[in-house]
Amino acid sequence: MFRNFKVVSQVVFGRGCFNQLDDIISKKRESDATAMIFLIDDVFLNKDIKNRIKLAENDEIIWVNVDDEPKTEYIDQLTAQIKKKMKLKSVSLPEGVIGIGGGSAMDLAKAVALMLTNQGSSSEYQGWDLIKNPAVYHVGVPTLSGTGSEVSRTTVLTGPEKKLGINSDYTVFDQIILDPELIKDVPKQQWFYTGMDCYIHCIESLTGTYLNTFSQSFGEKSLDLCREVFLENPDDADDKLMMASYFGGMSIAYSQVGVCHALSYGLSYVFGIHHGVGNCIAFNCLDEYYAEGVAEFRKMMETNKIELPANICPDVSKKQLKIMTDVSLVLEPLWENALGKNWKKIITREKIESLYKKMLR
Ligand code: NAD
Ligand code: ZN
């Protein structure tokens, strides 16, 4: 059986297209009384973004904090907060949720849109296709490019037991607004780490056993764009990185990521290391799986004068190694994509632990 997967229904791209947000969402408003919720990364608290958003009577801006990557607990708290606010306004449910920010803020928006219409805690839905009801209309506006969250069918959450996404067709945004002007002030390190997330998506997709022409077509274009952005510094780097992220996300949508992502999830879970930098730390130790990609990645680091964090935890405990290995091994499709159907015979717990030790020293 071939996967029949959902893609984002509507996309607008271009410098300044964020100005069309009001026009786009107003078509979804049933009446003047309906409410839209804007979940905005609080890094923009003192920036002019909020002045560019037209609020209708019952709309709300909720500033979200992403110092920690999205946790199920935070999703549940935001969902309850929105429901309470709506009740006070005698609105049953908001008409839509608009997420503005990097991968974390976009994932928060996707998860909240899902949890407004699904009972219980978001931790109950971490996995594949566990969501029962369609989400409310949700829009993604990336302000940082690389994760591909704007096109993916997952929202990655850290829960009480695992770091695992809510993967479902309902997770996919209904609309995305790709405005390269929004990413121009991203600090250099963050720009690089999140951009490398995209580069690694491409390498893992293009070298994986799940590869097909669909994924290859998107992956190769994304890889070309990453090479331009991170090795040649073109004038239109922001436009190119934004499209690389989109294409990279499309590539893994019909294939999968691999060893680097499987290991990086463990680093995030135990040490709270953010996705982009965690991927870079892991990828830098994976010559034996992705020799050419790792060599080029080091060239990109050198070109952009990036130094990875070192000495993260040279004395990592046995318990920590066990937890990281457990988190990593849950991600079976990633291992299968990277190493083939017999992956369980190839990758042992000892091997994973030795890779983690290398990353943390
Ligand atoms: P992020 O969203 O965590 O943001 C990193 C930092 O950059 C934050 O401090 C944020 O406030 C700041 N920031 C965002 N936009 C900015 C801007 N324009 N100017 C200045 N600062 C800005 O980083 P990310 O790498 O985009 O996202 C990582 C998250 O995405 C992780 O939670 C990861 O699990 C998730 N992810 C999701 C998917 C998916 O398909 N859903 C894929 C990969 C990663
Ligand atoms: Zn990633």
Side-chain angles (χ1 to χ4, degrees), residues 41-44 47 64 66-70 101-107 110 142-157 163 182-187 190 193-195 197 201 252 261 265 268 274-277 279:
D41 188 323
D42 64 9
V43 77
F44 294 109
K47 301 276 165 63
V64 290
V66 299
D67 290 347
D68 290 331
E69 290 188 341
S104 297
M106 286 192 286
D107 278 5
K110 287 174 167 181
T143 64
L144 183 54
S145 283
T147 65
S149 174
E150 63 275 22
V151 287
S152 76
R153 78 190 288 278
T154 189
T155 159
V156 182
L157 303 178
K163 180 174 178 187
L182 297 179
I183 68 171
K184 70 176 191 312
D185 296 326
V186 176
Q190 188 64 56
Y193 294 146
T194 304
D197 189 19
H201 290 161
I252 50 176
H261 274 74
Y265 271 43
S268 305
H274 284 213
H275 185 72
V277 64
N279 277 345

Side-chain angles (χ1 to χ4, degrees), residues 271-307:
F271 293 102
I273 297 175
H274 284 213
H275 185 72
V277 64
N279 277 345
C280 289
I281 293 166
F283 199 59
N284 199 31
C285 295
L286 295 179
D287 307 70
E288 64 186 286
Y289 301 101
Y290 304 110
E292 284 175 30
V294 174
E296 189 169 54
F297 161 76
R298 291 192 186 125
K299 211 162 124 195
M300 291 174 172
M301 276 207 296
E302 204 183 300
T303 307
N304 293 286
K305 301 186 176 54
I306 300 289
E307 274 190 40

